[in-house]
Amino acid sequence: NAGVTQTPKFQVLKTGQSMTLQCAQDMNHEYMSWYRQDPGMGLRLIHYSVGAGITDQGEVPNGYNVSRSTTEDFPLRLLSAAPSQTSVYFCASSWKGDVYGYTFGSGTRLTVV
Amino acid sequence: GQQLNQSPQSMFIQEGEDVSMNCTSSSIFNTWLWYKQDPGEGPVLLIALYKAGELTSNGRLTAQFGITRKDSFLNISASIPSDVGIYFCAGPNYGGSQGNLIFGKGTKLSVKP
């Protein structure tokens, strides 16, 4: 059981480039979310999904897009990377019987230069 | 909006010492969670609390749901080097979709052997 898998683990982008951070879970969890972690800021919610076809914005959604076409996958897209998006990104999932019991992936460390 | 304030921000302790940290909220919560993040990894759920006054243990860890429902405490007894990491408190984001969590900024624990 792999849990929550995030790829890539590390990425360097140039300003203006686009990319997709992948997140997949094999636990059949309904809920999935993306957080970013910056030094001294804790974890801040970017986007959220309660099921396939349903997404919602979190605290810091600007500059990011998401879609949820399957239960397993929840990719995060950066359309035009900016240095302010340099951060560590975590994907998390939970099931509706324990919505707050998140399982996190191991993160993607993104640097935008 | 809802905020979670964790203290202390960081702690440097000797192996074998007990540790106490707390989390306070500007509003009432009906669920409190404590996560631990090891260096380079995603957070892992340690303890979940669902009732005011509840005291729950997980090995050497004990967490309490404050009576006022605006605070929670985490204690670690007889610390060991593998306790090193960042400890986050979290609670439901009532302004968002069901399952949203907000996180405190974390308490960074360092243990000297």
Side-chain angles (χ1 to χ4, degrees):
Chain A
N1 193 340
V4 178
T5 302
Q6 289 186 240
T7 56
K9 289 193 180 300
F10 301 93
Q11 182 70 49
V12 178
L13 286 179
K14 293 182 179 179
T15 297
Q17 284 185 317
S18 63
M19 82 159 294
T20 298
L21 279 62
Q22 302 292 342
C23 175
Q25 52 92 8
D26 61 359
M27 298 171 285
N28 206 30
H29 283 175
E30 296 88 352
Y31 294 74
M32 296 186 76
S33 53
W34 277 101
Y35 285 85
R36 60 177 289 173
Q37 183 177 26
D38 302 296
M41 297 296 292
L43 293 153
R44 293 184 292 169
L45 182 66
I46 305 172
H47 282 288
Y48 184 78
S49 171
V50 299
I54 306 169
T55 63
D56 200 0
Q57 294 184 346
E59 180 186 357
V60 288
N62 292 340
Y64 307 96
N65 280 350
V66 291
S67 60
R68 182 98 181 268
S69 56
T70 67
T71 299
E72 294 78 21
D73 300 298
F74 191 42
L76 179 72
R77 297 183 187 84
L78 285 70
L79 299 178
S80 179
S84 61
Q85 294 178 304
T86 294
S87 187
V88 182
Y89 292 85
F90 288 101
C91 178
S93 71
S94 64
W95 68 293
K96 63 182 180 181
D98 182 18
V99 296
Y100 302 120
Y102 282 10
T103 298
F104 280 85
S106 57
T108 294
R109 184 175 294 274
L110 176 68
T111 303
V112 183
V113 298
Chain B
Q2 292 172 281
Q3 285 189 343
L4 293 178
N5 299 304
Q6 283 189 251
S7 65
Q9 276 189 304
S10 61
M11 304 179 74
F12 294 86
I13 62 168
Q14 201 75 35
E15 182 177 357
E17 288 182 350
D18 295 342
V19 173
S20 290
M21 60 188 78
N22 70 74
C23 188
T24 59
S25 166
S26 56
S27 54
I28 289 173
F29 282 90
N30 58 24
T31 300
W32 283 95
L33 305 119
W34 286 93
Y35 283 83
K36 183 198 176 194
Q37 184 180 29
D38 289 331
E41 297 294 328
V44 173
L45 181 63
L46 297 174
I47 293 178
L49 302 160
Y50 300 103
K51 289 193 300 187
E54 180 180 355
L55 190 71
T56 298
S57 294
N58 178 4
R60 293 178 295 106
L61 278 61
T62 301
Q64 184 162 22
F65 192 139
I67 291 291
T68 67
R69 295 165 63 194
K70 289 187 175 183
D71 55 12
S72 180
F73 307 89
L74 178 69
N75 296 314
I76 305 172
S77 62
S79 58
I80 58 178
S82 62
D83 290 334
V84 163
I86 304 176
Y87 292 81
F88 292 101
C89 63
N93 178 7
Y94 295 119
S97 303
Q98 185 185 21
N100 276 187
L101 282 178
I102 61 170
F103 286 81
K105 295 181 179 180
T107 293
K108 186 174 182 179
L109 180 64
S110 300
V111 179
K112 291 178 283 187

